Amino acid sequence: MGRLRRIRLALLALCGVLVVGTTGYVLLGFGVLDAAYQTVTTVSTVGFREVHPLGPAGQVFTIVLILTGVGTALYTFGVLLEVLIEGDLRAHVGRRRMDRAISRMTGHTIVCGWGRVGVSSTQYLGGTGQEIVVIDRDPARLNGVRHPSVLGDVTDDQVLVAAGIAHARALIAAVDTDADNVYVTLSARSLRPDLIIIARARGGSSTATLLRAGADHVVNPQLIGGRRMAAFALQPHVADFLDVVMHDETLDYRLEQIDIGPGSAFVGRSVDDAAIQDRTGALLLALRRPAGPFLANPAADAPIESGSVLIVLGTADQLAAVRSHAGGI
């Protein structure tokens, strides 16, 4: 039986007992108020006193009322108490379990703001198997979120701490206003100087402010959306290919960045000597040396240094092989 149905039936039964009891005492000669008072004191087992002396009929009626009414009242109060305690207890236990899960996370991504941008970012991250913690100040928004979440104001440092910022890999600031995104970026950067921060900008003038606040990357969804629409108009096949490779989870091929560790087998070799495609089957699209620009389709003699980044296209197994040669990063 559903919880609401149980409450409804219990309250109806209690009201029925009170009505029957009051009616019975009225028929025994009590006034309406006295009858209601006598019924309530009897059913609740308080029993201060009898309003009027009871004859044999009144005593029999009271016995029946006690046997039926007290049980009904106790059942009703029990149902209400159970629902109250169970709801609070379940919420408390669920919150504690979620807090423990967040405290055990490492390398996760914190998404600040559960709006359209936050939801889209989370869907993509979840599709790649990343662990995610969502923060939002609106409890209605967090209902039904499948990822661990923290209810609170993202501009509060304690909320970021509760989301596990000490062990997070990245933070996405996708709150509704640029001012809040700037504040979140400042707070996150002060708590974690090495954290990767991606901030959303609603206006073009906010990009520079967010970068000064400490964001590693600033994204303007409207600007990117407009450029993608133009790309589909001019080069639809190129745009469609990139869109599928980056966002289609059912496609075998993926585009991925792979960092070169100091112990990598690629360090000190040229692109030709590394023979990435021959060794792994993955296709090297670009190379970025530390603090340098991207080299698209790098030359065969381009050296690979520790700290470089490879942009590689391949299947999951091929990309795993590249990561293994790159130093397990």
Side-chain angles (χ1 to χ4, degrees):
M1 185 182 298
R3 183 180 302 175
L4 292 178
R5 187 180 176 189
R6 289 177 58 198
I7 295 175
R8 190 181 299 111
L9 290 177
L11 291 175
L12 287 174
L14 181 60
C15 291
V17 168
L18 295 177
V19 170
V20 171
T22 301
T23 303
Y25 282 119
V26 168
L27 295 176
L28 290 171
F30 287 53
V32 176
L33 181 58
D34 289 341
Y37 176 83
Q38 183 69 43
T39 301
V40 171
T41 57
T42 301
V43 170
S44 64
T45 70
V46 174
F48 289 121
R49 63 182 177 85
E50 294 179 353
V51 179
H52 302 292
L54 296 174
Q59 292 174 349
V60 171
F61 177 77
T62 301
I63 291 172
V64 174
L65 182 61
I66 290 174
L67 293 177
T68 58
V70 172
T72 303
L74 291 177
Y75 174 76
T76 303
F77 295 147
V79 169
L80 294 175
L81 188 62
E82 176 188 351
V83 171
L84 178 63
I85 294 177
E86 183 181 355
D88 290 343
L89 184 61
R90 182 179 300 174
H92 178 70
V93 172
R95 183 69 260 171
R96 290 291 299 274
R97 185 183 297 115
M98 190 175 294
D99 289 342
R100 287 196 298 270
I102 293 174
S103 66
R104 291 193 295 266
M105 285 184 178
T106 56
H108 59 285
T109 300
I110 300 173
V111 178
C112 301
W114 192 242
R116 288 174 295 180
V117 174
V119 171
S120 297
S121 301
T122 303
Q123 288 174 344
Y124 180 77
L125 290 169
T128 60
Q130 300 295 313
E131 290 187 311
I132 303 161
V133 176
V134 177
I135 303 177
D136 201 281
R137 63 167 64 94
D138 187 353
R141 282 185 170 186
L142 294 180
N143 286 336
V145 176
R146 293 180 297 175
H147 303 281
S149 59
V150 176
L151 176 63
D153 192 340
V154 293
T155 61
D156 185 351
D157 288 356
Q158 294 304 314
V159 173
L160 295 176
V161 171
I165 193 172
H167 307 289
R169 176 181 179 273
L171 180 143
I172 297 176
V175 197
D176 294 334
T177 66
D178 286 341
D180 283 344
N181 284 324
V182 169
Y183 199 99
V184 171
T185 301
L186 286 169
S187 299
R189 181 59 68 208
S190 64
L191 292 171
R192 277 284 307 279
D194 60 333
L195 184 69
I196 299 173
I197 301 176
I198 302 94
R200 169 195 181 183
R202 297 181 66 91
S205 60
S206 302
T207 300
T209 304
L210 286 164
L211 289 172
R212 287 196 300 269
D216 295 288
H217 304 281
V218 178
V219 177
N220 186 321
Q222 289 81 8
L223 180 62
I224 291 179
R227 288 177 175 175
R228 284 189 61 197
M229 294 173 71
F232 276 111
L234 296 175
Q235 303 183 71
H237 297 293
V238 174
D240 197 31
F241 173 76
L242 291 176
D243 194 45
V244 168
V245 169
M246 288 299 297
H247 304 293
D248 190 347
E249 300 171 10
T250 63
L251 190 68
D252 290 336
Y253 280 87
R254 304 290 297 177
L255 191 63
E256 188 171 316
Q257 70 171 49
I258 297 177
D259 299 329
I260 301 298
S264 170
F266 295 147
V267 172
R269 298 189 177 190
S270 66
V271 170
D272 188 46
D273 291 337
I276 294 174
Q277 188 168 7
D278 293 337
R279 292 188 182 192
T280 66
L283 179 63
L284 177 63
L285 299 180
L287 167 68
R288 187 176 202 175
R289 291 194 288 268
F294 277 111
L295 300 177
N297 190 21
D301 59 350
I304 301 177
E305 306 170 11
S306 176
S308 298
V309 177
L310 307 180
I311 307 299
V312 184
L313 176 68
T315 65
D317 292 338
Q318 291 170 347
L319 295 175
V322 177
R323 283 194 297 269
S324 176
H325 287 290
I329 296 179

Short mmCIF file of all heavy atoms in Angstrom, two decimals, residues 107-132:
data_model
loop_
_atom_site.label_atom_id
_atom_site.label_comp_id
_atom_site.label_asym_id
_atom_site.label_seq_id
_atom_site.Cartn_x
_atom_site.Cartn_y
_atom_site.Cartn_z
N GLY A 107 40.01 12.75 -9.02
CA GLY A 107 40.04 12.98 -10.46
C GLY A 107 38.68 13.20 -11.08
O GLY A 107 38.52 13.02 -12.29
N HIS A 108 37.69 13.59 -10.29
CA HIS A 108 36.36 13.81 -10.82
C HIS A 108 36.21 15.24 -11.32
O HIS A 108 37.10 16.08 -11.14
CB HIS A 108 35.29 13.52 -9.75
CG HIS A 108 35.42 14.36 -8.52
ND1 HIS A 108 36.39 14.15 -7.57
CD2 HIS A 108 34.71 15.44 -8.08
CE1 HIS A 108 36.28 15.05 -6.60
NE2 HIS A 108 35.26 15.85 -6.90
N THR A 109 35.08 15.52 -11.95
CA THR A 109 34.77 16.85 -12.46
C THR A 109 33.59 17.43 -11.70
O THR A 109 32.58 16.75 -11.52
CB THR A 109 34.43 16.80 -13.96
OG1 THR A 109 35.55 16.27 -14.69
CG2 THR A 109 34.11 18.19 -14.49
N ILE A 110 33.72 18.66 -11.24
CA ILE A 110 32.65 19.35 -10.54
C ILE A 110 31.92 20.25 -11.54
O ILE A 110 32.55 21.08 -12.21
CB ILE A 110 33.21 20.19 -9.38
CG1 ILE A 110 33.93 19.30 -8.37
CG2 ILE A 110 32.09 20.97 -8.68
CD1 ILE A 110 34.64 20.07 -7.28
N VAL A 111 30.62 20.07 -11.65
CA VAL A 111 29.79 20.89 -12.54
C VAL A 111 28.95 21.83 -11.69
O VAL A 111 28.09 21.38 -10.93
CB VAL A 111 28.88 20.01 -13.43
CG1 VAL A 111 27.99 20.88 -14.30
CG2 VAL A 111 29.73 19.08 -14.29
N CYS A 112 29.21 23.11 -11.79
CA CYS A 112 28.50 24.13 -11.00
C CYS A 112 27.36 24.71 -11.84
O CYS A 112 27.61 25.40 -12.82
CB CYS A 112 29.46 25.24 -10.57
SG CYS A 112 30.84 24.69 -9.58
N GLY A 113 26.13 24.41 -11.45
CA GLY A 113 24.98 24.91 -12.17
C GLY A 113 24.33 23.82 -12.99
O GLY A 113 24.93 23.31 -13.95
N TRP A 114 23.10 23.43 -12.59
CA TRP A 114 22.40 22.35 -13.29
C TRP A 114 21.37 22.94 -14.24
O TRP A 114 20.19 22.67 -14.18
CB TRP A 114 21.74 21.43 -12.27
CG TRP A 114 21.23 20.13 -12.83
CD1 TRP A 114 19.94 19.69 -12.85
CD2 TRP A 114 21.99 19.09 -13.45
NE1 TRP A 114 19.84 18.47 -13.44
CE2 TRP A 114 21.10 18.06 -13.83
CE3 TRP A 114 23.34 18.92 -13.74
CZ2 TRP A 114 21.51 16.90 -14.46
CZ3 TRP A 114 23.76 17.76 -14.37
CH2 TRP A 114 22.84 16.78 -14.72
N GLY A 115 21.86 23.78 -15.16
CA GLY A 115 21.00 24.31 -16.21
C GLY A 115 21.26 23.58 -17.51
O GLY A 115 21.78 22.46 -17.52
N ARG A 116 20.92 24.21 -18.63
CA ARG A 116 21.09 23.54 -19.92
C ARG A 116 22.55 23.25 -20.22
O ARG A 116 22.88 22.16 -20.70
CB ARG A 116 20.48 24.41 -21.02
CG ARG A 116 18.96 24.44 -21.01
CD ARG A 116 18.41 25.42 -22.02
NE ARG A 116 18.77 26.80 -21.69
CZ ARG A 116 18.43 27.86 -22.40
NH1 ARG A 116 17.71 27.71 -23.50
NH2 ARG A 116 18.79 29.07 -22.03
N VAL A 117 23.44 24.19 -19.93
CA VAL A 117 24.85 23.98 -20.20
C VAL A 117 25.41 22.92 -19.27
O VAL A 117 26.17 22.02 -19.69
CB VAL A 117 25.63 25.31 -20.06
CG1 VAL A 117 27.13 25.07 -20.20
CG2 VAL A 117 25.15 26.31 -21.09
N GLY A 118 25.06 22.99 -17.98
CA GLY A 118 25.53 22.00 -17.03
C GLY A 118 25.05 20.60 -17.36
O GLY A 118 25.81 19.62 -17.27
N VAL A 119 23.79 20.47 -17.75
CA VAL A 119 23.24 19.16 -18.11
C VAL A 119 23.95 18.60 -19.34
O VAL A 119 24.32 17.41 -19.37
CB VAL A 119 21.72 19.27 -18.37
CG1 VAL A 119 21.18 17.98 -18.96
CG2 VAL A 119 20.99 19.59 -17.07
N SER A 120 24.16 19.42 -20.35
CA SER A 120 24.83 18.95 -21.57
C SER A 120 26.27 18.53 -21.28
O SER A 120 26.74 17.49 -21.78
CB SER A 120 24.83 20.06 -22.63
OG SER A 120 23.50 20.38 -23.02
N SER A 121 26.96 19.31 -20.46
CA SER A 121 28.33 18.95 -20.10
C SER A 121 28.37 17.63 -19.35
O SER A 121 29.23 16.78 -19.60
CB SER A 121 28.96 20.06 -19.24
OG SER A 121 28.97 21.30 -19.93
N THR A 122 27.42 17.46 -18.43
CA THR A 122 27.39 16.24 -17.63
C THR A 122 27.07 15.02 -18.49
O THR A 122 27.63 13.94 -18.29
CB THR A 122 26.34 16.37 -16.51
OG1 THR A 122 26.68 17.52 -15.71
CG2 THR A 122 26.32 15.14 -15.62
N GLN A 123 26.17 15.17 -19.45
CA GLN A 123 25.84 14.05 -20.33
C GLN A 123 27.06 13.58 -21.11
O GLN A 123 27.31 12.38 -21.25
CB GLN A 123 24.72 14.46 -21.28
CG GLN A 123 23.36 14.58 -20.61
CD GLN A 123 22.30 15.12 -21.56
OE1 GLN A 123 22.60 15.68 -22.62
NE2 GLN A 123 21.04 14.98 -21.17
N TYR A 124 27.85 14.53 -21.60
CA TYR A 124 29.04 14.14 -22.35
C TYR A 124 30.08 13.50 -21.44
O TYR A 124 30.67 12.47 -21.77
CB TYR A 124 29.64 15.36 -23.06
CG TYR A 124 30.87 15.03 -23.87
CD1 TYR A 124 30.76 14.39 -25.10
CD2 TYR A 124 32.14 15.32 -23.39
CE1 TYR A 124 31.90 14.07 -25.84
CE2 TYR A 124 33.27 15.00 -24.11
CZ TYR A 124 33.15 14.38 -25.33
OH TYR A 124 34.26 14.05 -26.05
N LEU A 125 30.31 14.10 -20.27
CA LEU A 125 31.28 13.53 -19.33
C LEU A 125 30.86 12.15 -18.87
O LEU A 125 31.69 11.23 -18.79
CB LEU A 125 31.43 14.47 -18.13
CG LEU A 125 32.12 15.81 -18.37
CD1 LEU A 125 31.96 16.71 -17.17
CD2 LEU A 125 33.60 15.59 -18.69
N GLY A 126 29.57 12.00 -18.58
CA GLY A 126 29.09 10.69 -18.15
C GLY A 126 29.23 9.64 -19.23
O GLY A 126 29.49 8.47 -18.94
N GLY A 127 29.08 10.05 -20.49
CA GLY A 127 29.22 9.11 -21.60
C GLY A 127 30.63 8.60 -21.77
O GLY A 127 30.85 7.52 -22.32
N THR A 128 31.62 9.36 -21.27
CA THR A 128 33.01 8.93 -21.34
C THR A 128 33.46 8.21 -20.08
O THR A 128 34.63 7.86 -19.94
CB THR A 128 33.93 10.14 -21.58
OG1 THR A 128 33.80 11.07 -20.49
CG2 THR A 128 33.57 10.84 -22.88
N GLY A 129 32.53 8.01 -19.14
CA GLY A 129 32.85 7.27 -17.92
C GLY A 129 33.46 8.09 -16.82
O GLY A 129 33.99 7.54 -15.85
N GLN A 130 33.40 9.42 -16.92
CA GLN A 130 33.99 10.27 -15.90
C GLN A 130 33.08 10.37 -14.66
O GLN A 130 31.86 10.34 -14.78
CB GLN A 130 34.22 11.68 -16.46
CG GLN A 130 35.16 11.72 -17.66
CD GLN A 130 36.56 11.28 -17.32
OE1 GLN A 130 37.13 11.72 -16.32
NE2 GLN A 130 37.11 10.41 -18.13
N GLU A 131 33.71 10.49 -13.50
CA GLU A 131 32.94 10.72 -12.27
C GLU A 131 32.61 12.21 -12.17
O GLU A 131 33.45 13.07 -12.46
CB GLU A 131 33.72 10.27 -11.04
CG GLU A 131 33.87 8.76 -10.95
CD GLU A 131 34.50 8.33 -9.64
OE1 GLU A 131 35.55 8.91 -9.30
OE2 GLU A 131 33.97 7.43 -8.97
N ILE A 132 31.40 12.52 -11.70
CA ILE A 132 30.90 13.89 -11.72
C ILE A 132 30.23 14.20 -10.39
O ILE A 132 29.55 13.34 -9.81
CB ILE A 132 29.88 14.08 -12.86
CG1 ILE A 132 30.51 13.72 -14.21
CG2 ILE A 132 29.34 15.50 -12.90
CD1 ILE A 132 29.51 13.43 -15.29
#
